[in-house]
Amino acid sequence: KAGVTQTPRYLIKTRGQQVTLSCSPISGHRSVSWYQQTPGQGLQFLFEYFSETQRNKGNFPGRFSGRQFSNSRSEMNVSTLELGDSALYLCASSLGRDWYGYTFGSGTRLTVV
Amino acid sequence: AQSVTQPDIHITVSEGASLELRCNYSYGATPYLFWYVQSPGQGLQLLLKYFSGDTLVQGIKGFEAEFKRSQSSFNLRKPSVHWSDAAEYFCAVGTILTGGGNKLTFGTGTQLKVEL
């Protein structure tokens, strides 16, 4: 079956702009989690959505937001981009209970210039 | 709060040699432990995981890891490394959150270089 699909794979944005990233989970998975990976901070949890509701949020400013649709696809949005937002953004999908099937996508590489 | 330490930032081994990547964790309860591998520009691939039971777990690509509660460690091993194993390896501890759902807390990673 198809894996976790993230689009686009690469993005270049200008400081101050906003950006939207998309994540399509594995069929049947209802939970989508987002992580940011940077050379300086490593891999950090952003937030998790389940059945269109944000269940958990990491320690990120309000510029980072997300949502989940009824088909479990998720988007994350970053407003007023800063140079430090340049990162690989990874999403992971799962059934939503425990760790079964927790699978990562290939990520979206965001570069802010 | 949970945390993961990977003390080795870079490791270089010769092809065919054995490998051990170190991981120490801090977590109050019985931990959910994971090892992931990441090739350049790619996502994270799960190598193996430990939830409970047998402390020696087998994973994909010939990797294994041993959970040692007394040492708070979960080291990754492979008896004979192949050139294709060159990548970055991440240890992680999983947390079940009070609102439901879960999250992973990662170590800083170990970059493995394999010399031919």
Side-chain angles (χ1 to χ4, degrees):
Chain A
K1 59 182 177 181
V4 180
T5 302
Q6 292 189 246
T7 56
R9 286 299 310 275
Y10 303 93
L11 265 178
I12 299 176
K13 290 288 188 179
T14 303
R15 192 170 45 182
Q17 286 186 315
Q18 74 166 17
V19 67
T20 299
L21 313 180
S22 178
C23 175
S24 293
I26 290 172
S27 178
H29 284 191
R30 297 169 63 192
S31 170
V32 173
S33 299
W34 289 89
Y35 293 81
Q36 181 197 62
Q37 184 177 23
T38 61
Q41 299 300 314
L43 281 151
Q44 294 185 287
F45 173 77
L46 277 157
F47 29 63
E48 184 242 356
Y49 286 86
F50 180 79
S51 293
E52 302 179 63
T53 301
Q54 185 183 87
R55 282 200 297 195
N56 300 287
K57 189 174 183 351
N59 189 25
F60 278 82
R63 300 185 297 107
F64 291 81
S65 63
R67 60 178 174 168
Q68 187 180 34
F69 301 95
S70 58
N71 62 357
S72 294
R73 188 178 70 87
S74 177
E75 291 180 346
M76 68 162 282
N77 184 276
V78 188
S79 63
T80 319
L81 283 165
E82 301 176 359
L83 296 178
D85 297 331
S86 295
L88 180 66
Y89 290 89
L90 294 165
C91 79
S93 78
S94 73
L95 292 169
R97 51 181 174 84
D98 298 330
W99 298 101
Y100 295 102
Y102 203 87
T103 305
F104 282 89
S106 297
T108 293
R109 170 73 63 184
L110 171 65
T111 302
V112 182
V113 297
Chain B
Q2 63 280 359
S3 66
V4 178
T5 301
Q6 293 181 248
D8 304 306
I9 299 174
H10 299 280
I11 282 185
T12 300
V13 299
S14 299
E15 190 176 36
S18 63
L19 172 70
E20 183 169 30
L21 301 182
R22 296 183 290 165
C23 172
N24 292 96
Y25 67 90
S26 173
Y27 189 69
T30 300
Y32 301 94
L33 295 165
F34 304 80
W35 274 101
Y36 285 90
V37 61
Q38 186 179 39
S39 297
Q42 298 299 311
L44 298 167
Q45 181 182 24
L46 178 67
L47 288 175
L48 46 78
K49 57 184 182 279
Y50 172 79
F51 291 170
S52 64
D54 193 348
T55 57
L56 185 64
V57 293
Q58 303 296 322
I60 63 171
K61 304 185 180 186
F63 285 93
E64 66 178 27
E66 186 171 13
F67 170 62
K68 293 185 177 180
R69 183 186 300 276
S70 62
Q71 298 176 20
S72 297
S73 69
F74 188 56
N75 294 348
L76 182 72
R77 301 193 294 248
K78 187 170 185 177
S80 177
V81 170
H82 188 263
W83 65 266
S84 60
D85 293 324
E88 191 157 21
Y89 292 79
F90 292 93
C91 181
V93 62
T95 310
I96 304 294
L97 300 169
T98 53
N102 42 33
K103 76 169 188 179
L104 292 170
T105 300
F106 290 88
T108 50
T110 297
Q111 186 71 48
L112 173 65
K113 180 180 176 181
V114 180
E115 290 183 332
L116 300 176

